Amino acid sequence: MTPTSTQDLLSHAWFGIIGLMLLLYVVTDGFDLGVGILSLFRRRQEDRDLMIQSIGHVWDANETWLVALGGALFGAFPLAYSMLMTQLYVPVMVLIASFMMRGASIEFRHVAHGSKVFWDRVFGLGSLLAALAQGLILGRVISGLVPGVESAIFVAVTAIGVASGYSLLGATWLVKKTTGQLQGSARRSAVVAVCTTVLAAIVVSLGTLYFSPVGLSQWQDSGILHVLMLLGVLAALAFVYVLYAIFTGGEHSPFAGASLLFTVSFAGLAISLFPWLVPGKLSIAAAASNSATLTFMLLGIGTVLPIMIGYNLYQYHLFRGKVVLVKH
Amino acid sequence: MLVESLNLARGQFALTALFHILWPILTISLSGFLVVVETLWVRTSNIVWYHHARFWSKLLLLNFAVGVATGIPMEFQFGTNWGPFSEYTGQFFGNILGFEGAMAFMLEAGFIGIMMFGWERVSRRMHLFATAMVAFGSSLSAFWIMVANSWLQTPAGVAVVNGRLVVTDYIAAIFNPDMVWGVSHMWFAAMETGLVVVAGISAWKLLQRRNVEFFARSFRLALLLLLIAAPLQIWLGDSSGVAVFETQPAKGAAIEGHWQTNAPGTGANWSLLAWPNADTQANDWSIEVPGMLSLLATHSLHGQIKGLHDIPKADQPPMLPLLYYAFRLMAGIGFLFMVLAFWTAWAMRQARGHLDVLLAQRKLLWAWVLAIPLPYVAVECGWIVREVGRQPWTVYGMLRTEHSASAIAPAALTGSMLMFSAFFVVLLLSFFVFARRWLRTGPDLSLQPPQARMETGHAHGIDY
């Protein structure tokens, strides 16, 4: 194997790992951000207690995927990290602010007495802001960081799309974790959210063709087009499945369906943008660190990745089942 | 514009770094303390240790939350404000930050849920394991961060290719000359912080005569551990000082206000107190001990110490008085802890285990209460010495700070700076309010240890 192809292989492996981390991040933190967003709509303190309790033991580990992702991007693709962070200064700062709001409020609310409602709202608002900021970042990346009114509208749609997608994950998570009236309202939220999410996803897909500097050329490749069409069919099936699962009273299946929908959309996006990190500006090859760094990182992070996933799964297993309110 | 952005970015980094470090130091040490307490619980089945674990872990959770919330801006700031730095150093520095996030932080975050909410769901041993993983994860986190930072101080194992750094030798880069001292000095600083905080809070409660048995126990345990940690830290501080004079002579000279390189065969004078002045390139005044600096910095009578006169002004660290006094404050506090620990140990030996005698030592107990902020002051001073002393370089001798910052609009930087400041104030105040409430409530001595229930299919609550 020539040195260039080793470098090629390694940088693509890292593209894959970072993609996997991103997927794990959006699905896991997606549902707890979604629960936060939905908590904004609940008046009863008891409902909010249950909702936030249902994510209390995992939100932190979920968010950590982003921290790991940031570090991995920094090490494996320093140019992309620096370009994205600098160009996306404002949404990144909003994202950081929202994480600080969430992180502090979720612990402070446990010990708060009179100010509990306040911290609950900070948590909900932080969750909403985080989702919107992430949607903004996504939209800006797809449209190749190009300024303009049209792309601003596109970015607004991706922001709403991400927020409603997370709400869908959050709502189906609540279906899984709660009972009774709260579960009922979570089912209704899920129906609304799945429709807005799919609508936004369609608009974003069409917008990608128009706005992304690489989207169209990618879709003209017949091999890729077939894969994308297959993913589209899968997404449609997942959409129908989520609705079916909600209406037939499924407990776990709505969340599974929503996760599938997310995974499929994510794969579609990744394929549409490949091999670009920032469409039209920065490719995998241009941004990647050299082989030595990529290999070293692979030894370090690649080997702990399955372990990380393992103890996260253990945690989910440990806290399985419905939540019931515990006063303290 | 660039100068303004650079200074704003530096100010923002200083603010977030100085605020962030306040939290992980307690997380590292308190989780370690909890491992000790929980091990005692598992070993002896004495319920007192269980109550200790429950009580102190609440402080940990509160502290951990703020630590995470303030750590995220640290990581992303390298990309947002220091783009050129990130591009230049990404292949090593970014790589190590990636290790920290993936290996260490994830371990900590993955197990803290079980540690905090899992008492009812896992066995004692499994819970101890979770606590140990949190402690290990937070220490590992400190390890990787200090590896990254020490490499900025004494970069090794890299070469410049096409204007970017490429790692040529990972072992050399990780085990750079400063690494062992940087890691261990920081880790012991964290340990001392937690132990002084536990001892100080316990002393406060003893002064109030609340839960006397409980807090006398935690006081003794913290003291015992501090008797080991405090002298070790002084030795580590001394050793890292010697290493600084070897590897970063400009920093060494700056923290000691040392201007004139001593001639061979003579010892360099040590200024006990002075006012270094960068404009006149001399000390405005000083109280000196002849020949002492050579002894302190090289452990030999005539060791040569490079003076600031032999370092171009452009390569001298800025803010000399700040460096000079931050260093003295840090070292002074380190000695104070040792004195306090041994004084207390001596007093307790005189008491021969009689609790009343300990309680009667009100001055001693007050000294511990007043000591609570001191480890924090020392750690902040240590970081000022470390980071300001490295200037004008971000990567010592390789990349200057002025070439490291992104060209971000000053307005954006000012905006984010205001946002961070406001958040930090709210976080700090809220933490104090809640910590005070936790402290007032005190330990719940009626709490019964859970019978680990592992059967499936039952709805479980999460016990906060």
Side-chain angles (χ1 to χ4, degrees):
Chain A
M1 212 183 265
T2 63
T4 10
S5 65
T6 311
Q7 169 75 10
D8 231 36
L9 197 68
L10 282 167
S11 53
H12 283 83
W14 268 103
F15 183 75
I17 292 174
I18 284 175
L20 177 67
M21 284 180 165
L22 188 59
L23 179 63
L24 286 167
Y25 172 75
V26 291
V27 172
T28 59
D29 208 30
F31 79 72
D32 68 55
L33 286 164
V35 169
I37 296 171
L38 294 172
S39 78
L40 284 170
F41 301 99
R42 306 307 302 178
R43 281 226 190 96
R44 283 177 55 201
Q45 183 65 55
E46 207 172 287
D47 287 352
R48 290 201 302 269
D49 284 347
L50 268 176
M51 289 168 88
I52 296 175
Q53 204 168 291
S54 79
I55 56 170
H57 47 82
V58 288
W59 73 273
D60 196 16
N62 296 346
E63 201 175 286
T64 304
W65 285 113
L66 192 70
V67 177
L69 178 75
L73 190 67
F74 191 175
F77 302 103
L79 279 179
Y81 177 75
S82 144
M83 181 189 275
L84 288 173
M85 292 293 141
T86 314
Q87 298 273 319
L88 298 166
Y89 191 82
V90 176
V92 168
M93 285 297 154
V94 173
L95 186 62
I96 289 169
S98 60
F99 280 149
M100 289 172 75
M101 288 164 72
R102 268 167 60 85
S105 59
I106 198 170
E107 302 306 349
F108 287 166
R109 71 182 297 280
H110 296 322
V111 275
H113 297 316
S115 57
K116 197 166 187 179
V117 180
F118 169 77
W119 291 114
D120 280 4
R121 291 311 178 204
V122 172
F123 181 73
L125 205 65
S127 306
L128 180 63
L129 273 177
L132 290 175
Q134 287 175 21
L136 226 75
I137 291 169
L138 176 69
R140 297 274 287 133
V141 171
I142 293 177
S143 58
L145 305 170
V146 178
V149 179
E150 283 179 326
S151 73
I153 296 170
F154 175 72
V155 167
V157 176
T158 56
I160 294 167
V162 168
S164 60
Y166 285 173
S167 303
L168 168 65
L169 284 170
T172 50
W173 172 259
L174 289 172
V175 170
K176 198 176 153 101
K177 298 298 282 185
T178 63
T179 53
Q181 198 204 347
L182 190 57
Q183 193 191 40
S185 82
R187 283 185 196 278
R188 286 190 294 280
S189 310
V191 173
V192 178
V194 77
C195 294
T196 51
T197 304
V198 167
L199 202 65
I202 292 169
V203 177
V204 169
S205 301
L206 296 175
T208 304
L209 283 179
Y210 180 69
F211 281 109
S212 170
V214 295
L216 198 60
S217 61
Q218 202 79 327
W219 289 34
Q220 279 160 348
D221 183 318
S222 71
I224 291 174
L225 191 65
H226 285 127
V227 177
L228 285 171
M229 280 166 66
L230 181 70
L231 289 173
V233 172
L234 273 174
L237 286 175
F239 170 65
V240 175
Y241 179 70
V242 170
L243 283 177
Y244 167 80
I246 292 168
F247 286 119
T248 54
E251 299 268 333
H252 299 277
S253 40
F255 183 69
S259 305
L260 179 67
L261 186 60
F262 249 76
T263 310
V264 171
S265 316
F266 182 87
L269 201 64
I271 290 172
S272 302
L273 301 184
F274 185 84
W276 297 92
L277 289 168
V278 184
K281 291 215 163 136
L282 207 54
S283 65
I284 293 176
S289 287
N290 70 352
S291 298
T293 293
L294 294 175
T295 309
F296 188 69
M297 284 181 71
L298 202 61
L299 290 176
I301 297 178
T303 47
V304 295
L305 201 64
I307 305 171
M308 283 160 75
I309 296 173
Y311 55 68
N312 272 293
L313 283 176
Y314 172 69
Q315 200 183 27
Y316 280 96
H317 171 73
L318 202 58
F319 292 97
R320 70 196 173 277
K322 302 281 182 188
V323 278
V324 291
L325 210 55
V326 172
K327 292 283 174 201
H328 55 96
Chain B
M1 178 226 140
L2 249 165
V3 175
E4 203 184 344
S5 296
L6 175 67
N7 287 334
L8 283 166
R10 289 178 67 186
Q12 192 169 97
F13 188 85
L15 177 77
T16 37
L18 289 176
F19 192 74
H20 172 63
I21 190 62
L22 295 173
W23 312 95
I25 47 175
L26 191 65
T27 304
I28 294 165
S29 48
L30 208 50
S31 57
F33 185 78
L34 286 171
V35 172
V36 174
V37 169
E38 256 191 65
T39 307
L40 288 167
W41 157 235
V42 170
R43 289 242 146 178
T44 65
S45 289
N46 184 347
I47 193 169
V48 176
W49 294 121
Y50 172 71
H51 289 148
H52 271 87
R54 295 304 296 259
F55 176 72
W56 294 106
S57 68
K58 283 207 173 172
L59 181 63
L60 177 71
L61 184 64
L62 209 53
N63 185 79
F64 182 77
V66 189
V68 175
T70 56
I72 289 173
M74 280 303 299
E75 183 188 11
F76 287 96
Q77 217 172 100
F78 291 114
T80 55
N81 296 355
W82 304 97
F85 164 81
S86 299
E87 284 170 29
Y88 185 73
T89 63
Q91 310 221 16
F92 183 73
F93 191 83
N95 175 347
I96 298 299
L97 286 199
F99 277 11
E100 192 264 345
M103 289 183 193
F105 190 53
M106 198 61 177
L107 196 63
E108 202 180 347
F111 280 99
I112 201 156
I114 299 170
M115 177 185 172
M116 300 316 301
F117 309 122
W119 281 105
E120 300 282 339
R121 298 193 169 213
V122 295
S123 65
R124 284 181 200 183
R125 279 175 188 283
M126 187 59 218
H127 195 278
L128 173 60
F129 178 72
T131 308
M133 284 300 109
V134 171
F136 176 64
S138 59
S139 281
L140 193 61
S141 197
F143 170 79
W144 284 121
I145 293 296
M146 291 313 295
V147 166
N149 184 274
S150 66
W151 178 83
L152 295 180
Q153 310 285 343
T154 54
V158 287
V160 183
V161 178
N162 299 328
R164 277 199 257 162
L165 286 178
V166 174
V167 187
T168 51
D169 182 350
Y170 265 100
I171 302 297
I174 290 176
F175 292 91
N176 62 74
D178 181 65
M179 189 279 256
V180 173
W181 302 120
V183 169
S184 51
H185 196 45
M186 184 72 231
W187 193 79
F188 272 92
M191 282 303 135
E192 282 192 293
T193 304
L195 295 172
V196 170
V197 166
V198 169
I201 290 173
S202 303
W204 174 241
K205 284 290 188 179
L206 290 176
L207 280 166
Q208 292 180 329
R209 299 280 197 277
R210 295 257 169 82
N211 301 108
V212 167
E213 296 274 343
F214 180 92
F215 285 107
R217 203 176 271 260
S218 49
F219 184 79
R220 276 199 208 104
L221 182 58
L223 179 73
L224 182 72
L225 296 170
L226 203 58
L227 282 170
I228 305 164
L232 265 174
Q233 177 70 327
I234 289 173
W235 175 71
L236 284 169
D238 174 63
S239 304
S240 43
V242 172
V244 162
F245 278 96
E246 261 172 45
T247 55
Q248 295 177 294
K251 181 193 276 184
I255 58 177
E256 294 290 9
H258 178 62
W259 295 95
Q260 198 63 52
T261 309
N262 54 313
T266 62
N269 293 352
W270 180 61
S271 60
L272 179 68
L273 287 176
W275 192 265
N277 187 332
D279 295 332
T280 59
Q281 294 281 299
N283 291 333
D284 286 353
W285 51 265
S286 64
I287 305 165
E288 295 198 352
V289 185
M292 188 70 180
L293 185 57
S294 291
L295 199 61
L296 287 173
T298 63
H299 292 181
S300 77
L301 280 173
H302 296 170
Q304 197 174 55
I305 316 282
K306 202 173 191 179
L308 284 169
H309 283 156
D310 289 341
I311 293 156
K313 207 174 168 188
D315 291 349
Q316 291 175 7
M319 297 187 266
L320 293 178
L322 176 71
L323 280 174
Y324 188 90
Y325 284 100
F327 174 69
R328 272 156 180 71
L329 200 52
M330 171 189 74
I333 291 170
F335 278 102
L336 189 73
F337 287 153
M338 194 173 81
V339 171
L340 197 55
F342 279 94
W343 174 29
T344 313
W346 182 78
M348 283 172 77
R349 208 185 129 76
Q350 299 297 102
R352 289 173 213 289
H354 291 294
L355 207 51
D356 299 343
V357 186
L358 175 65
L359 291 177
Q361 296 266 12
R362 293 187 68 84
K363 273 186 198 147
L364 191 64
L365 293 174
W366 268 112
W368 283 101
V369 176
L370 295 175
I372 294 175
L374 294 183
Y376 292 96
V377 174
V379 165
E380 297 290 23
C381 286
W383 274 103
I384 288 170
V385 168
R386 201 172 169 81
E387 298 293 87
V388 178
R390 191 190 58 217
Q391 299 301 323
W393 307 94
T394 37
V395 186
Y396 197 70
M398 297 186 90
L399 181 71
R400 283 181 177 270
T401 308
E402 63 199 76
H403 300 144
S404 305
S406 309
I408 299 285
L413 281 162
T414 312
S416 54
M417 182 86 158
L418 287 173
M419 178 190 86
F420 285 136
S421 310
F423 273 79
F424 291 165
V425 170
V426 173
L427 286 175
L428 196 64
L429 290 179
S430 311
F431 177 81
F432 277 132
V433 169
F434 294 129
R436 183 165 165 266
R437 186 174 297 155
W438 157 82
L439 186 57
R440 281 195 155 184
T441 312
D444 179 2
L445 299 181
S446 65
L447 204 60
Q448 285 304 308
Q451 299 298 315
R453 288 172 297 176
M454 298 293 290
E455 67 270 44
T456 51
H458 281 248
H460 288 311
I462 297 158
D463 181 14
Y464 287 111

